[in-house]
Amino acid sequence: METGSPKPLITNMYTADPSVHVFNNKLYIYPSHDIDSKIANDADGNHFNMRDYHVFSMDSIPGKVTDHGTALDVDQVAWAKKQLWAPDAAEKNGTFFFYFPAKDANNVFRIGVATGKKPEGPFKASNTYISGSFSIDPSVFKDDDGSYYMYFGGIMGGQLQKWTTGSYAPEDVYPAEDSSALCPKIAKLSSNMINFEEPPKDIQIIDKNGKPLLAGDHERRFFEAAWMHTYNGKYYFSYSTGDTHKIVYATANNPYGPFTYQGVILKPVVGWTTHHSIVKFKGKWYLFFHDSSLSEGKTHLRCIKVTELHYNKDGSIQTIDPYSK
């Protein structure tokens, strides 16, 4: 590794997919917990066989990382069979809501919710997944008017391509390379934070000429790892391009879009996957991400890192090379 690479925040276990929020003036990290389950790599991601979640906190960056222990285990989720993938969290009226994807008894990814009284948990899962939910990578955004929205979706192992008709189909259905790309999803959350207030809608990502990004545009089209934040009144939707291994972003004037593609936030990291979150903490902006440097390149054994993020005067985000000196 080059000398400029940020060091892993956690070294006694493998962690990935960091969703980060500030609660009670402290920074809380909600990652997935990678384990080596000896399952062979495949296109469906079965080698990512995570079974539980830990929550971590920091009082400053840089600073000590506190592990608050197991917040939720797959055996505590009545409807879930396996694969606790990338989670997120939100707070409303003193209750903390923990959102997570998992495969149900039929090996279909759904999104569940658990609740707790502290940001670090422990969390108690609802008996069923969120009605109308599917695919992976839930990311929950609180808007300035107090509304909460969930952004989600992921292709290939995330199964988004199995829902093109509106219901689950075992076969993969991908659009033609010269057709519009599969879209990430958005759903407004109900006031109780445990249901969708509306059916999930497509998020259109367009180029600067107003045309939807195409399925063959692997450098820019959505793959997984949705995240939403705002900066100077603009909505920034960021995501992974998957097989081209970038974190990129698009902007809009409202939470539903359409979002206009803007550029690359993070260049490719060690390992196949890339996943991130963006947060403002104590007056500075940070990008949390993962790579596979701790395991020396094993793509299912990852570690989370953090680096400062900078905006240009026009609101564009400066591209980060994770290994520059």
Side-chain angles (χ1 to χ4, degrees):
M1 301 301 296
E2 297 183 38
T3 57
S5 174
K7 289 181 168 46
L9 291 173
I10 298 152
T11 57
N12 66 323
M13 68 176 72
Y14 293 109
T15 53
D17 312 317
S19 292
V20 181
H21 297 276
V22 178
F23 298 126
N24 305 325
N25 299 312
K26 184 180 288 193
L27 194 144
Y28 286 87
I29 308 169
Y30 301 88
S32 50
H33 177 199
D34 285 347
I35 58 172
D36 192 356
S37 57
K38 310 301 182 185
I39 294 173
N41 290 25
D42 62 28
D44 289 331
N46 284 302
H47 49 300
F48 297 100
N49 193 32
M50 299 86 101
R51 295 189 52 82
D52 66 8
Y53 295 105
H54 284 235
V55 178
F56 302 85
S57 65
M58 301 178 72
D59 292 313
S60 62
I61 300 175
K64 178 185 175 184
V65 179
T66 299
D67 180 358
H68 295 279
T70 303
L72 185 68
D73 187 282
V74 68
D75 292 338
Q76 298 169 324
V77 184
W79 61 269
K81 178 181 177 182
K82 61 179 181 178
Q83 289 177 280
L84 301 184
W85 284 13
D88 196 15
E91 181 274 337
K92 184 177 181 181
N93 297 334
T95 298
F96 294 88
F97 298 85
F98 185 75
Y99 302 92
F100 60 96
K103 282 183 177 173
D104 66 12
N106 298 312
N107 289 322
V108 177
F109 265 117
R110 303 288 185 172
I111 296 171
V113 58
T115 57
K117 289 302 180 184
K118 297 184 291 186
E120 66 269 26
F123 298 105
K124 180 176 174 54
S126 296
N127 288 330
T128 59
Y129 54 78
I130 298 172
S131 179
S133 72
F134 54 93
S135 198
I136 61 167
D137 292 356
S139 173
V140 175
F141 166 74
K142 181 183 180 181
D143 208 350
D144 289 341
D145 65 356
S147 299
Y148 291 80
Y149 300 90
M150 181 183 289
Y151 298 82
F152 64 95
I155 63 177
M156 285 183 62
Q159 301 182 341
L160 195 58
Q161 72 281 357
K162 297 179 183 291
W163 291 88
T164 55
T165 64
S167 58
Y168 180 81
E171 304 80 19
D172 292 333
V173 180
Y174 290 100
E177 296 282 275
D178 59 354
S179 298
S180 296
L182 289 171
C183 294
K185 306 296 181 180
I186 180 175
K188 189 175 184 179
L189 289 170
S190 62
S191 59
N192 66 12
M193 300 288 283
I194 60 174
N195 300 110
F196 290 156
E197 189 174 288
E198 60 187 3
K201 297 177 170 65
D202 283 349
I203 297 173
Q204 198 88 69
I205 305 173
I206 58 176
D207 64 21
K208 292 186 179 179
N209 295 316
K211 295 182 178 179
L213 298 188
L214 302 181
D217 187 354
H218 291 215
E219 295 292 326
R220 300 189 297 175
R221 62 89 178 88
F222 173 83
F223 189 97
E224 63 186 0
W227 186 260
M228 175 62 68
H229 77 282
T230 55
Y231 178 78
N232 286 351
K234 280 272 189 185
Y235 293 81
Y236 286 66
F237 180 74
S238 48
Y239 56 93
S240 166
T241 60
D243 55 0
T244 50
H245 318 293
K246 296 176 180 136
I247 297 296
V248 300
Y249 74 107
T251 59
N253 294 318
N254 69 84
Y256 289 94
F259 288 85
T260 303
Y261 179 87
Q262 299 295 342
V264 176
I265 297 174
L266 182 68
K267 292 181 178 181
V269 298
V270 173
W272 198 94
T273 69
T274 187
H275 198 121
H276 71 298
S277 58
I278 294 169
V279 64
K280 188 178 184 181
F281 184 52
K282 297 187 176 179
K284 293 184 176 182
W285 286 91
Y286 294 96
L287 175 79
F288 283 77
F289 65 100
H290 72 233
D291 69 13
S292 295
S293 59
L294 187 63
S295 66
E296 299 183 340
K298 293 180 182 177
T299 200
H300 66 293
L301 298 176
R302 298 160 292 183
C303 57
I304 60 174
K305 298 182 172 184
V306 62
T307 190
E308 196 169 344
L309 180 140
H310 299 280
Y311 299 87
N312 297 310
K313 289 183 179 180
D314 63 359
S316 59
I317 295 175
Q318 295 180 15
T319 302
I320 295 168
D321 181 343
Y323 308 122
S324 63
K325 296 181 181 178

